[in-house]
Amino acid sequence: AIVMGQDVEGVRNALSTMGQLFFANEGKLCLPSGIIRDWPSVAWRGVHLFVGPEALDFHQKIWNRVLLPLKFNKVVLECERTKWHALPNPKPANYMSRQDLLELFEFYRDSGIEPIPLIQSFGHMDWLFADKQNLNLALYPEPAYSIDPRLPDAQKLLSNVWDEAIGLLHPRAIHFG
């Protein structure tokens, strides 16, 4: 077999395709004969996943077993539920540690996948208002769903969380939710 690609990602995807073609025949591992020409039709092929205390193990399994064969090259990780130092209140048990999040980012980078942090920063802010906390930052306290971007304390909190995330993770791109 001859495997070629324009870059490391191309070779990795070619090897993934080849791995999917193997079959057993009379106790031997075989490959079909032929020529395969394969390349992505779009440059950005991503998936959106969540984090939590068990995310590192789960992501490694789902990526290797399901997503890698689909040849994704980006992963948007919704990571506001991380034990950020910038958050003012105790963090629930279902939040991910900063170290585990960093290891998750490193796992993706080592796999040739670009990890992109997503921190909900206006709407979908239930993570900040859990247990009726931080309601002074809510646009409307009932239901507390959005932060009030006009409040200096809200601006400072989000700025501090993002500064911490960028300083820890060193992403090439970020996603504001």
mmCIF file of all heavy atoms in Angstrom, residues 79-89 91 95-99 101-102 105 109 117 119 127 155-171 174 176:
data_model
loop_
_atom_site.group_PDB
_atom_site.id
_atom_site.type_symbol
_atom_site.label_atom_id
_atom_site.label_comp_id
_atom_site.label_asym_id
_atom_site.label_seq_id
_atom_site.Cartn_x
_atom_site.Cartn_y
_atom_site.Cartn_z
ATOM 1 N N CYS A 79 -16.572 24.873 27.900
ATOM 2 C CA CYS A 79 -15.778 24.657 29.114
ATOM 3 C C CYS A 79 -16.004 25.701 30.205
ATOM 4 O O CYS A 79 -15.141 25.883 31.062
ATOM 5 C CB CYS A 79 -14.301 24.549 28.758
ATOM 6 S SG CYS A 79 -13.601 25.932 27.908
ATOM 7 N N GLU A 80 -17.166 26.345 30.209
ATOM 8 C CA GLU A 80 -17.420 27.254 31.329
ATOM 9 C C GLU A 80 -17.582 26.505 32.644
ATOM 10 O O GLU A 80 -17.297 27.019 33.711
ATOM 11 C CB GLU A 80 -18.653 28.145 31.072
ATOM 12 C CG GLU A 80 -19.966 27.412 30.999
ATOM 13 C CD GLU A 80 -20.330 26.961 29.607
ATOM 14 O OE1 GLU A 80 -19.625 27.291 28.642
ATOM 15 O OE2 GLU A 80 -21.348 26.264 29.482
ATOM 16 N N ARG A 81 -18.007 25.249 32.586
ATOM 17 C CA ARG A 81 -18.173 24.445 33.800
ATOM 18 C C ARG A 81 -16.831 23.815 34.206
ATOM 19 O O ARG A 81 -16.689 22.612 34.346
ATOM 20 C CB ARG A 81 -19.250 23.391 33.601
ATOM 21 C CG ARG A 81 -20.631 24.000 33.441
ATOM 22 C CD ARG A 81 -21.704 22.950 33.249
ATOM 23 N NE ARG A 81 -22.946 23.535 32.830
ATOM 24 C CZ ARG A 81 -23.911 23.932 33.650
ATOM 25 N NH1 ARG A 81 -23.754 23.811 34.947
ATOM 26 N NH2 ARG A 81 -25.019 24.457 33.173
ATOM 27 N N THR A 82 -15.873 24.711 34.346
ATOM 28 C CA THR A 82 -14.531 24.357 34.808
ATOM 29 C C THR A 82 -14.311 25.103 36.113
ATOM 30 O O THR A 82 -14.882 26.166 36.325
ATOM 31 C CB THR A 82 -13.487 24.773 33.746
ATOM 32 O OG1 THR A 82 -13.751 24.058 32.535
ATOM 33 C CG2 THR A 82 -12.067 24.488 34.194
ATOM 34 N N LYS A 83 -13.479 24.572 36.956
ATOM 35 C CA LYS A 83 -13.224 25.208 38.256
ATOM 36 C C LYS A 83 -12.271 26.398 38.080
ATOM 37 O O LYS A 83 -11.143 26.397 38.557
ATOM 38 C CB LYS A 83 -12.677 24.183 39.244
ATOM 39 C CG LYS A 83 -13.707 23.116 39.572
ATOM 40 C CD LYS A 83 -13.172 22.062 40.518
ATOM 41 C CE LYS A 83 -14.250 21.012 40.774
ATOM 42 N NZ LYS A 83 -13.779 19.931 41.626
ATOM 43 N N TRP A 84 -12.771 27.428 37.364
ATOM 44 C CA TRP A 84 -11.973 28.628 37.115
ATOM 45 C C TRP A 84 -11.762 29.383 38.420
ATOM 46 O O TRP A 84 -12.682 29.571 39.206
ATOM 47 C CB TRP A 84 -12.665 29.542 36.102
ATOM 48 C CG TRP A 84 -12.898 28.915 34.772
ATOM 49 C CD1 TRP A 84 -14.098 28.640 34.196
ATOM 50 C CD2 TRP A 84 -11.906 28.480 33.844
ATOM 51 N NE1 TRP A 84 -13.918 28.055 32.971
ATOM 52 C CE2 TRP A 84 -12.570 27.951 32.721
ATOM 53 C CE3 TRP A 84 -10.514 28.492 33.844
ATOM 54 C CZ2 TRP A 84 -11.898 27.437 31.621
ATOM 55 C CZ3 TRP A 84 -9.842 27.981 32.746
ATOM 56 C CH2 TRP A 84 -10.535 27.462 31.648
ATOM 57 N N HIS A 85 -10.547 29.854 38.651
ATOM 58 C CA HIS A 85 -10.253 30.661 39.834
ATOM 59 C C HIS A 85 -11.057 31.961 39.806
ATOM 60 O O HIS A 85 -11.380 32.513 40.853
ATOM 61 C CB HIS A 85 -8.765 30.991 39.919
ATOM 62 C CG HIS A 85 -7.885 29.787 40.039
ATOM 63 N ND1 HIS A 85 -8.083 28.786 40.965
ATOM 64 C CD2 HIS A 85 -6.779 29.427 39.332
ATOM 65 C CE1 HIS A 85 -7.144 27.866 40.834
ATOM 66 N NE2 HIS A 85 -6.348 28.214 39.847
ATOM 67 N N ALA A 86 -11.380 32.450 38.619
ATOM 68 C CA ALA A 86 -12.081 33.726 38.470
ATOM 69 C C ALA A 86 -13.552 33.661 38.877
ATOM 70 O O ALA A 86 -14.187 34.703 39.048
ATOM 71 C CB ALA A 86 -11.982 34.215 37.020
ATOM 72 N N LEU A 87 -14.107 32.460 39.025
ATOM 73 C CA LEU A 87 -15.512 32.360 39.425
ATOM 74 C C LEU A 87 -15.634 32.622 40.919
ATOM 75 O O LEU A 87 -14.843 32.117 41.712
ATOM 76 C CB LEU A 87 -16.078 30.987 39.065
ATOM 77 C CG LEU A 87 -16.181 30.713 37.572
ATOM 78 C CD1 LEU A 87 -16.707 29.306 37.321
ATOM 79 C CD2 LEU A 87 -17.062 31.741 36.882
ATOM 80 N N PRO A 88 -16.650 33.391 41.314
ATOM 81 C CA PRO A 88 -16.714 33.873 42.694
ATOM 82 C C PRO A 88 -17.193 32.882 43.747
ATOM 83 O O PRO A 88 -16.947 33.091 44.921
ATOM 84 C CB PRO A 88 -17.699 35.040 42.598
ATOM 85 C CG PRO A 88 -18.586 34.688 41.450
ATOM 86 C CD PRO A 88 -17.696 33.954 40.480
ATOM 87 N N ASN A 89 -17.879 31.845 43.370
ATOM 88 C CA ASN A 89 -18.509 30.958 44.354
ATOM 89 C C ASN A 89 -17.938 29.552 44.266
ATOM 90 O O ASN A 89 -17.295 29.198 43.279
ATOM 91 C CB ASN A 89 -20.028 30.927 44.116
ATOM 92 C CG ASN A 89 -20.629 32.310 44.289
ATOM 93 O OD1 ASN A 89 -20.419 32.945 45.308
ATOM 94 N ND2 ASN A 89 -21.325 32.789 43.272
ATOM 95 N N LYS A 91 -17.461 25.783 43.360
ATOM 96 C CA LYS A 91 -17.833 25.111 42.126
ATOM 97 C C LYS A 91 -18.455 23.756 42.444
ATOM 98 O O LYS A 91 -17.952 23.029 43.294
ATOM 99 C CB LYS A 91 -16.602 24.890 41.242
ATOM 100 C CG LYS A 91 -16.054 26.134 40.539
ATOM 101 C CD LYS A 91 -15.772 27.246 41.452
ATOM 102 C CE LYS A 91 -14.704 28.212 41.033
ATOM 103 N NZ LYS A 91 -14.210 28.973 42.177
ATOM 104 N N TYR A 95 -18.159 20.044 37.931
ATOM 105 C CA TYR A 95 -17.268 20.901 37.162
ATOM 106 C C TYR A 95 -15.936 20.180 36.954
ATOM 107 O O TYR A 95 -15.496 19.387 37.780
ATOM 108 C CB TYR A 95 -17.024 22.222 37.892
ATOM 109 C CG TYR A 95 -18.097 23.271 37.637
ATOM 110 C CD1 TYR A 95 -19.438 22.932 37.505
ATOM 111 C CD2 TYR A 95 -17.749 24.611 37.540
ATOM 112 C CE1 TYR A 95 -20.403 23.887 37.287
ATOM 113 C CE2 TYR A 95 -18.716 25.582 37.317
ATOM 114 C CZ TYR A 95 -20.042 25.213 37.191
ATOM 115 O OH TYR A 95 -20.993 26.161 36.953
ATOM 116 N N MET A 96 -15.280 20.484 35.856
ATOM 117 C CA MET A 96 -13.997 19.868 35.511
ATOM 118 C C MET A 96 -12.861 20.657 36.165
ATOM 119 O O MET A 96 -12.929 21.876 36.271
ATOM 120 C CB MET A 96 -13.836 19.879 33.994
ATOM 121 C CG MET A 96 -12.640 19.132 33.474
ATOM 122 S SD MET A 96 -12.725 19.033 31.665
ATOM 123 C CE MET A 96 -11.731 17.580 31.389
ATOM 124 N N SER A 97 -11.814 19.968 36.543
ATOM 125 C CA SER A 97 -10.650 20.670 37.083
ATOM 126 C C SER A 97 -9.904 21.355 35.941
ATOM 127 O O SER A 97 -9.969 20.926 34.781
ATOM 128 C CB SER A 97 -9.713 19.699 37.813
ATOM 129 O OG SER A 97 -8.987 18.919 36.887
ATOM 130 N N ARG A 98 -9.200 22.402 36.277
ATOM 131 C CA ARG A 98 -8.396 23.117 35.274
ATOM 132 C C ARG A 98 -7.341 22.176 34.684
ATOM 133 O O ARG A 98 -7.102 22.191 33.478
ATOM 134 C CB ARG A 98 -7.723 24.337 35.913
ATOM 135 C CG ARG A 98 -8.659 25.454 36.296
ATOM 136 C CD ARG A 98 -7.991 26.497 37.217
ATOM 137 N NE ARG A 98 -6.579 26.649 37.004
ATOM 138 C CZ ARG A 98 -5.997 27.616 36.283
ATOM 139 N NH1 ARG A 98 -6.736 28.540 35.741
ATOM 140 N NH2 ARG A 98 -4.691 27.667 36.146
ATOM 141 N N GLN A 99 -6.702 21.366 35.512
ATOM 142 C CA GLN A 99 -5.658 20.455 35.041
ATOM 143 C C GLN A 99 -6.224 19.434 34.054
ATOM 144 O O GLN A 99 -5.610 19.155 33.024
ATOM 145 C CB GLN A 99 -4.986 19.744 36.218
ATOM 146 C CG GLN A 99 -3.848 18.826 35.807
ATOM 147 C CD GLN A 99 -2.720 19.542 35.074
ATOM 148 O OE1 GLN A 99 -2.369 20.668 35.414
ATOM 149 N NE2 GLN A 99 -2.174 18.894 34.061
ATOM 150 N N LEU A 101 -8.862 19.821 32.180
ATOM 151 C CA LEU A 101 -9.196 20.538 30.939
ATOM 152 C C LEU A 101 -7.934 20.759 30.110
ATOM 153 O O LEU A 101 -7.941 20.561 28.891
ATOM 154 C CB LEU A 101 -9.881 21.868 31.251
ATOM 155 C CG LEU A 101 -10.321 22.674 30.028
ATOM 156 C CD1 LEU A 101 -11.383 21.931 29.214
ATOM 157 C CD2 LEU A 101 -10.845 24.042 30.453
ATOM 158 N N LEU A 102 -6.857 21.150 30.756
ATOM 159 C CA LEU A 102 -5.591 21.332 30.053
ATOM 160 C C LEU A 102 -5.141 20.018 29.414
ATOM 161 O O LEU A 102 -4.711 19.994 28.250
ATOM 162 C CB LEU A 102 -4.529 21.865 31.007
ATOM 163 C CG LEU A 102 -3.144 22.115 30.421
ATOM 164 C CD1 LEU A 102 -3.194 23.110 29.255
ATOM 165 C CD2 LEU A 102 -2.197 22.605 31.506
ATOM 166 N N PHE A 105 -7.199 19.410 26.306
ATOM 167 C CA PHE A 105 -6.710 20.224 25.188
ATOM 168 C C PHE A 105 -5.432 19.626 24.608
ATOM 169 O O PHE A 105 -5.266 19.577 23.386
ATOM 170 C CB PHE A 105 -6.484 21.669 25.640
ATOM 171 C CG PHE A 105 -7.668 22.562 25.416
ATOM 172 C CD1 PHE A 105 -8.857 22.349 26.095
ATOM 173 C CD2 PHE A 105 -7.611 23.611 24.519
ATOM 174 C CE1 PHE A 105 -9.950 23.159 25.898
ATOM 175 C CE2 PHE A 105 -8.704 24.426 24.307
ATOM 176 C CZ PHE A 105 -9.878 24.213 24.995
ATOM 177 N N ARG A 109 -4.659 18.318 20.794
ATOM 178 C CA ARG A 109 -3.525 18.841 20.021
ATOM 179 C C ARG A 109 -2.587 17.711 19.598
ATOM 180 O O ARG A 109 -2.123 17.690 18.450
ATOM 181 C CB ARG A 109 -2.776 19.886 20.837
ATOM 182 C CG ARG A 109 -3.531 21.197 20.939
ATOM 183 C CD ARG A 109 -2.693 22.265 21.631
ATOM 184 N NE ARG A 109 -3.452 23.501 21.703
ATOM 185 C CZ ARG A 109 -3.829 24.082 22.846
ATOM 186 N NH1 ARG A 109 -3.481 23.571 24.016
ATOM 187 N NH2 ARG A 109 -4.527 25.204 22.821
ATOM 188 N N PRO A 117 -11.952 26.652 22.891
ATOM 189 C CA PRO A 117 -12.786 26.797 24.089
ATOM 190 C C PRO A 117 -14.036 27.622 23.795
ATOM 191 O O PRO A 117 -13.988 28.628 23.087
ATOM 192 C CB PRO A 117 -11.868 27.522 25.074
ATOM 193 C CG PRO A 117 -10.923 28.291 24.217
ATOM 194 C CD PRO A 117 -10.740 27.470 22.966
ATOM 195 N N ILE A 119 -17.033 29.426 26.069
ATOM 196 C CA ILE A 119 -17.557 29.793 27.380
ATOM 197 C C ILE A 119 -18.787 30.656 27.122
ATOM 198 O O ILE A 119 -18.685 31.726 26.506
ATOM 199 C CB ILE A 119 -16.511 30.549 28.225
ATOM 200 C CG1 ILE A 119 -15.313 29.633 28.503
ATOM 201 C CG2 ILE A 119 -17.130 31.051 29.521
ATOM 202 C CD1 ILE A 119 -14.154 30.298 29.215
ATOM 203 N N TRP A 127 -25.089 28.200 34.136
ATOM 204 C CA TRP A 127 -23.921 27.730 34.880
ATOM 205 C C TRP A 127 -23.471 28.751 35.924
ATOM 206 O O TRP A 127 -23.005 28.382 36.991
ATOM 207 C CB TRP A 127 -22.772 27.400 33.926
ATOM 208 C CG TRP A 127 -22.249 28.586 33.150
ATOM 209 C CD1 TRP A 127 -22.744 29.072 31.966
ATOM 210 C CD2 TRP A 127 -21.161 29.422 33.499
ATOM 211 N NE1 TRP A 127 -22.022 30.165 31.565
ATOM 212 C CE2 TRP A 127 -21.040 30.412 32.495
ATOM 213 C CE3 TRP A 127 -20.263 29.462 34.561
ATOM 214 C CZ2 TRP A 127 -20.064 31.401 32.509
ATOM 215 C CZ3 TRP A 127 -19.289 30.456 34.577
ATOM 216 C CH2 TRP A 127 -19.193 31.407 33.568
ATOM 217 N N GLN A 155 -18.969 42.458 33.308
ATOM 218 C CA GLN A 155 -17.904 42.576 32.314
ATOM 219 C C GLN A 155 -16.572 42.084 32.885
ATOM 220 O O GLN A 155 -15.838 41.351 32.232
ATOM 221 C CB GLN A 155 -17.764 44.032 31.863
ATOM 222 C CG GLN A 155 -18.970 44.563 31.130
ATOM 223 C CD GLN A 155 -18.904 46.075 30.941
ATOM 224 O OE1 GLN A 155 -17.869 46.709 31.139
ATOM 225 N NE2 GLN A 155 -20.032 46.651 30.554
ATOM 226 N N LYS A 156 -16.289 42.489 34.125
ATOM 227 C CA LYS A 156 -15.029 42.102 34.757
ATOM 228 C C LYS A 156 -14.966 40.591 34.980
ATOM 229 O O LYS A 156 -13.939 39.961 34.719
ATOM 230 C CB LYS A 156 -14.857 42.842 36.086
ATOM 231 C CG LYS A 156 -13.544 42.537 36.760
ATOM 232 C CD LYS A 156 -13.346 43.349 38.021
ATOM 233 C CE LYS A 156 -12.002 42.941 38.620
ATOM 234 N NZ LYS A 156 -11.601 43.688 39.729
ATOM 235 N N LEU A 157 -16.064 40.000 35.453
ATOM 236 C CA LEU A 157 -16.086 38.561 35.701
ATOM 237 C C LEU A 157 -15.794 37.788 34.417
ATOM 238 O O LEU A 157 -14.929 36.908 34.391
ATOM 239 C CB LEU A 157 -17.431 38.120 36.279
ATOM 240 C CG LEU A 157 -17.578 36.605 36.429
ATOM 241 C CD1 LEU A 157 -16.783 36.112 37.623
ATOM 242 C CD2 LEU A 157 -19.013 36.206 36.543
ATOM 243 N N LEU A 158 -16.513 38.122 33.342
ATOM 244 C CA LEU A 158 -16.308 37.397 32.084
ATOM 245 C C LEU A 158 -14.911 37.639 31.530
ATOM 246 O O LEU A 158 -14.277 36.719 31.007
ATOM 247 C CB LEU A 158 -17.370 37.778 31.062
ATOM 248 C CG LEU A 158 -18.755 37.206 31.354
ATOM 249 C CD1 LEU A 158 -19.763 37.686 30.341
ATOM 250 C CD2 LEU A 158 -18.714 35.691 31.396
ATOM 251 N N SER A 159 -14.432 38.854 31.649
ATOM 252 C CA SER A 159 -13.078 39.160 31.193
ATOM 253 C C SER A 159 -12.054 38.325 31.965
ATOM 254 O O SER A 159 -11.125 37.757 31.377
ATOM 255 C CB SER A 159 -12.798 40.650 31.361
ATOM 256 O OG SER A 159 -11.488 40.946 30.951
ATOM 257 N N ASN A 160 -12.249 38.217 33.279
ATOM 258 C CA ASN A 160 -11.320 37.428 34.098
ATOM 259 C C ASN A 160 -11.384 35.942 33.759
ATOM 260 O O ASN A 160 -10.344 35.265 33.700
ATOM 261 C CB ASN A 160 -11.606 37.641 35.585
ATOM 262 C CG ASN A 160 -11.201 39.023 36.049
ATOM 263 O OD1 ASN A 160 -10.457 39.738 35.382
ATOM 264 N ND2 ASN A 160 -11.709 39.428 37.207
ATOM 265 N N VAL A 161 -12.592 35.416 33.521
ATOM 266 C CA VAL A 161 -12.715 34.003 33.146
ATOM 267 C C VAL A 161 -12.024 33.756 31.812
ATOM 268 O O VAL A 161 -11.254 32.804 31.658
ATOM 269 C CB VAL A 161 -14.195 33.555 33.110
ATOM 270 C CG1 VAL A 161 -14.329 32.164 32.490
ATOM 271 C CG2 VAL A 161 -14.800 33.570 34.502
ATOM 272 N N TRP A 162 -12.274 34.636 30.842
ATOM 273 C CA TRP A 162 -11.648 34.461 29.528
ATOM 274 C C TRP A 162 -10.136 34.618 29.607
ATOM 275 O O TRP A 162 -9.394 33.858 28.965
ATOM 276 C CB TRP A 162 -12.252 35.413 28.498
ATOM 277 C CG TRP A 162 -13.451 34.826 27.844
ATOM 278 C CD1 TRP A 162 -14.751 35.198 27.998
ATOM 279 C CD2 TRP A 162 -13.465 33.714 26.952
ATOM 280 N NE1 TRP A 162 -15.570 34.390 27.252
ATOM 281 C CE2 TRP A 162 -14.803 33.471 26.598
ATOM 282 C CE3 TRP A 162 -12.485 32.895 26.417
ATOM 283 C CZ2 TRP A 162 -15.177 32.452 25.728
ATOM 284 C CZ3 TRP A 162 -12.858 31.873 25.546
ATOM 285 C CH2 TRP A 162 -14.192 31.664 25.210
ATOM 286 N N ASP A 163 -9.653 35.598 30.378
ATOM 287 C CA ASP A 163 -8.203 35.760 30.533
ATOM 288 C C ASP A 163 -7.584 34.493 31.123
ATOM 289 O O ASP A 163 -6.520 34.039 30.681
ATOM 290 C CB ASP A 163 -7.879 36.960 31.425
ATOM 291 C CG ASP A 163 -8.103 38.295 30.740
ATOM 292 O OD1 ASP A 163 -8.286 38.329 29.505
ATOM 293 O OD2 ASP A 163 -8.110 39.322 31.460
ATOM 294 N N GLU A 164 -8.251 33.922 32.114
ATOM 295 C CA GLU A 164 -7.759 32.699 32.737
ATOM 296 C C GLU A 164 -7.761 31.540 31.742
ATOM 297 O O GLU A 164 -6.790 30.774 31.659
ATOM 298 C CB GLU A 164 -8.616 32.367 33.963
ATOM 299 C CG GLU A 164 -8.113 31.204 34.762
ATOM 300 C CD GLU A 164 -8.947 30.938 36.008
ATOM 301 O OE1 GLU A 164 -9.813 31.766 36.380
ATOM 302 O OE2 GLU A 164 -8.735 29.875 36.617
ATOM 303 N N ALA A 165 -8.851 31.400 30.993
ATOM 304 C CA ALA A 165 -8.949 30.312 30.016
ATOM 305 C C ALA A 165 -7.883 30.449 28.930
ATOM 306 O O ALA A 165 -7.212 29.464 28.580
ATOM 307 C CB ALA A 165 -10.346 30.294 29.395
ATOM 308 N N ILE A 166 -7.714 31.642 28.416
ATOM 309 C CA ILE A 166 -6.721 31.860 27.355
ATOM 310 C C ILE A 166 -5.308 31.643 27.896
ATOM 311 O O ILE A 166 -4.468 31.025 27.237
ATOM 312 C CB ILE A 166 -6.899 33.266 26.748
ATOM 313 C CG1 ILE A 166 -8.219 33.322 25.958
ATOM 314 C CG2 ILE A 166 -5.714 33.636 25.863
ATOM 315 C CD1 ILE A 166 -8.661 34.721 25.582
ATOM 316 N N GLY A 167 -5.047 32.122 29.113
ATOM 317 C CA GLY A 167 -3.736 31.932 29.714
ATOM 318 C C GLY A 167 -3.404 30.475 29.972
ATOM 319 O O GLY A 167 -2.251 30.057 29.861
ATOM 320 N N LEU A 168 -4.404 29.675 30.318
ATOM 321 C CA LEU A 168 -4.192 28.256 30.594
ATOM 322 C C LEU A 168 -4.102 27.432 29.314
ATOM 323 O O LEU A 168 -3.225 26.580 29.166
ATOM 324 C CB LEU A 168 -5.326 27.711 31.471
ATOM 325 C CG LEU A 168 -5.291 26.221 31.789
ATOM 326 C CD1 LEU A 168 -4.139 25.893 32.743
ATOM 327 C CD2 LEU A 168 -6.620 25.753 32.376
ATOM 328 N N LEU A 169 -5.004 27.695 28.380
ATOM 329 C CA LEU A 169 -5.192 26.812 27.227
ATOM 330 C C LEU A 169 -4.447 27.242 25.966
ATOM 331 O O LEU A 169 -4.232 26.428 25.075
ATOM 332 C CB LEU A 169 -6.691 26.686 26.923
ATOM 333 C CG LEU A 169 -7.544 26.211 28.107
ATOM 334 C CD1 LEU A 169 -9.025 26.337 27.785
ATOM 335 C CD2 LEU A 169 -7.182 24.785 28.505
ATOM 336 N N HIS A 170 -4.105 28.508 25.848
ATOM 337 C CA HIS A 170 -3.407 29.048 24.677
ATOM 338 C C HIS A 170 -4.080 28.641 23.356
ATOM 339 O O HIS A 170 -3.426 28.087 22.473
ATOM 340 C CB HIS A 170 -1.937 28.628 24.679
ATOM 341 C CG HIS A 170 -1.219 29.003 25.927
ATOM 342 N ND1 HIS A 170 -0.856 30.298 26.235
ATOM 343 C CD2 HIS A 170 -0.822 28.254 26.979
ATOM 344 C CE1 HIS A 170 -0.249 30.334 27.404
ATOM 345 N NE2 HIS A 170 -0.228 29.113 27.889
ATOM 346 N N PRO A 171 -5.374 28.917 23.217
ATOM 347 C CA PRO A 171 -6.061 28.508 21.983
ATOM 348 C C PRO A 171 -5.705 29.420 20.815
ATOM 349 O O PRO A 171 -5.337 30.576 20.990
ATOM 350 C CB PRO A 171 -7.544 28.675 22.359
ATOM 351 C CG PRO A 171 -7.536 29.792 23.357
ATOM 352 C CD PRO A 171 -6.264 29.598 24.151
ATOM 353 N N ILE A 174 -11.157 31.256 19.795
ATOM 354 C CA ILE A 174 -12.084 31.096 20.912
ATOM 355 C C ILE A 174 -13.503 31.262 20.400
ATOM 356 O O ILE A 174 -13.722 31.826 19.337
ATOM 357 C CB ILE A 174 -11.798 32.110 22.050
ATOM 358 C CG1 ILE A 174 -11.856 33.540 21.536
ATOM 359 C CG2 ILE A 174 -10.456 31.817 22.707
ATOM 360 C CD1 ILE A 174 -11.677 34.600 22.610
ATOM 361 N N PHE A 176 -17.175 32.633 21.727
ATOM 362 C CA PHE A 176 -18.026 33.269 22.722
ATOM 363 C C PHE A 176 -19.431 32.771 22.505
ATOM 364 O O PHE A 176 -19.977 32.919 21.423
ATOM 365 C CB PHE A 176 -18.012 34.799 22.573
ATOM 366 C CG PHE A 176 -16.730 35.430 22.997
ATOM 367 C CD1 PHE A 176 -15.738 35.689 22.073
ATOM 368 C CD2 PHE A 176 -16.508 35.760 24.320
ATOM 369 C CE1 PHE A 176 -14.547 36.264 22.456
ATOM 370 C CE2 PHE A 176 -15.325 36.339 24.719
ATOM 371 C CZ PHE A 176 -14.333 36.597 23.782
#
